[in-house]
């Protein structure tokens, strides 16, 4: 898939499956993911519980046991449910009674983790492993897309940057929602990219499942809406051939595609229908995460999230406090919390991009629209409480940075 390759631009192409270089790259990727897994195990063994983890764990456990979503509604349930799933086999004691009646999630979380019939270290280990598994899945998806875009060497560099980033390692081992929403935002964009190159119903279904996973993980998945809208606009303006009926297995080929590429109204209709199908599938995923009966809790959580975003949060930066934050907070946090070597490689990739080591315009849009949109939103956001909210840009940044290892970069 070329997505409008610039004339005369040499674009690295991944070797066919089964070729030696491709096989070696896959093995190297597995070794890097193994390194991430080992780092995660060490981190889990040494890291004490963070303040949010108890509330998230207790909430997720109560969802699975009761389909009652009164605890911690300010975050959707999917990641909390995945983390709590291994705990069901332990037959843990849950502090029902007055604490449950008044939905005191913080006290319940403290007692659930630290005053149970199983050691707290065991509870945290089993609960954190599913989050680590999500991070491994994200790493593999990053490698897979990088291999298709820039070739195996570039994909391995992108994966290495991901695996060796201390911020990634830390958030891969905590029962929080940030790694989960990062995974599903990345998969949403990747699946849309795949669908735009070869529009099939199965690929469109994957877009819907990924978008649904994002909204079932964290309310910052709302940031996906402008990202997907901008990408859809790019597909429209670039006259990308699209099937008239997105649900049709035969769409996107032959004369129908030729007509689509010339007719604005048909392209618009195709994108609109595709968007409606994605929204329908995403809604089903969100409903399933709430057991259907708990969907009102989604609306409650969304309302609380929007209220929190509107009023801001007490924040600290460089010796100062603020209730509304600073426009440069996340940029500053990223610069001081990212390894210098990683920053240098990202800068090198920007230079390579400026000097012509690039894919087609659409491919680059799929990499940079999520980064720029997220940065723009966070610069306006009043909730400045941690670099973790910027985590969704990491896989896109590292995917783009991998270009410096692509064959076309050799002469740059």
């Amino acid at each position: 898939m070329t997505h409008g390759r610039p004339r005369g631009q040499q674009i690295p192409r991944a070797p066919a499956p089964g070729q030696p270089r491709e096989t070696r790259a896959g093995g190297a990727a597995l070794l890097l993911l193994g390194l991430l897994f080992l780092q995660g195990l060490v981190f889990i063994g040494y890291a004490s519980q963070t303040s949010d983890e108890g509330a998230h764990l207790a909430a997720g456990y109560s969802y699975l046991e009761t389909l009652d979503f009164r605890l911690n509604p300010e975050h959707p349930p999917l990641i909390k449910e995945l983390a709590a799933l291994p705990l069901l086999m332990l037959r843990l004691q849950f502090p029902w009674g007055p604490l449950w009646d008044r939905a005191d999630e913080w006290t319940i979380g403290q007692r659930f983790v630290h005053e149970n019939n199983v050691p707290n270290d065991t509870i945290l280990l089993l609960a954190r492993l599913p989050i680590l598994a999500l991070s491994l899945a994200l790493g593999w998806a990053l490698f897979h897309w990088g291999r298709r875009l820039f070739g195996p060497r570039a994909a391995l560099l992108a994966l290495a940057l991901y695996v060796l980033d201390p911020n990634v390692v830390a958030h891969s081992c905590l029962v929080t929602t940030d790694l989960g929403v990062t995974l599903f935002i990345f998969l949403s964009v990747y699946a849309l990219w795949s669908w735009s190159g070869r529009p099939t119903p199965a690929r469109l279904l994957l877009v819907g499942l990924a978008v649904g996973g994002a909204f079932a993980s964290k309310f910052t998945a709302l940031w996906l809406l402008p990202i997907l809208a901008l990408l859809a606009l790019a597909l429209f303006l670039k006259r990308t051939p699209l099937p008239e009926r997105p649900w049709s297995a035969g769409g996107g080929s032959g004369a129908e595609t030729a007509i689509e590429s010339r007719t604005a109204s048909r392209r618009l209709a195709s994108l609109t229908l595709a968007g409606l199908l994605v929204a329908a599938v995403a809604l089903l995923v969100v409903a399933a995460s709430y057991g259907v009966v708990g969907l009102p809790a989604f609306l409650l959580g969304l309302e609380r999230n929007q209220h929190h975003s509107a009023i801001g949060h007490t924040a600290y930066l460089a010796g100062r406090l603020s209730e509304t934050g600073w426009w440069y907070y996340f940029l500053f946090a990223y610069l001081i919390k990212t390894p210098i070597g990683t920053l240098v490689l990202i800068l090198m990739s920007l230079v390579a991009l400026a000097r012509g080591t690039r894919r087609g315009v659409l491919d680059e849009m799929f990499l940079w629209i999520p980064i720029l949109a997220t940065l723009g939103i966070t610069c306006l956001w009043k909730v400045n409480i941690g670099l973790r909210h910027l985590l969704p840009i990491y896989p896109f940044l590292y995917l783009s940075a991998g270009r410096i290892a692509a064959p076309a970069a050799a002469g740059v």
Side-chain angles (χ1 to χ4, degrees), residues 220-244:
T220 50
L222 288 168
W223 301 352
L224 252 182
L225 298 182
I227 291 171
L228 295 179
L230 289 171
L231 290 174
L233 178 62
L235 294 177
F236 176 79
L237 295 177
K238 293 296 291 182
R239 305 173 68 87
T240 302
L242 299 171
E244 189 170 1

Side-chain angles (χ1 to χ4, degrees), residues 192 195 204 207-208 232 246 268-282:
L192 182 62
W195 177 79
L204 191 61
V207 178
L268 181 60
S270 175
L271 286 169
T272 301
L273 288 173
L276 290 174
L277 287 174
V278 167
V281 173

Side-chain angles (χ1 to χ4, degrees), residues 180-203:
V181 77
T182 298
L183 166 66
F184 288 114
I185 287 176
F186 185 80
L187 291 180
S188 297
V189 176
Y190 181 20
L192 182 62
W193 179 84
S194 295
W195 177 79
S196 68
R198 185 185 174 194
T200 65
R203 294 186 179 200

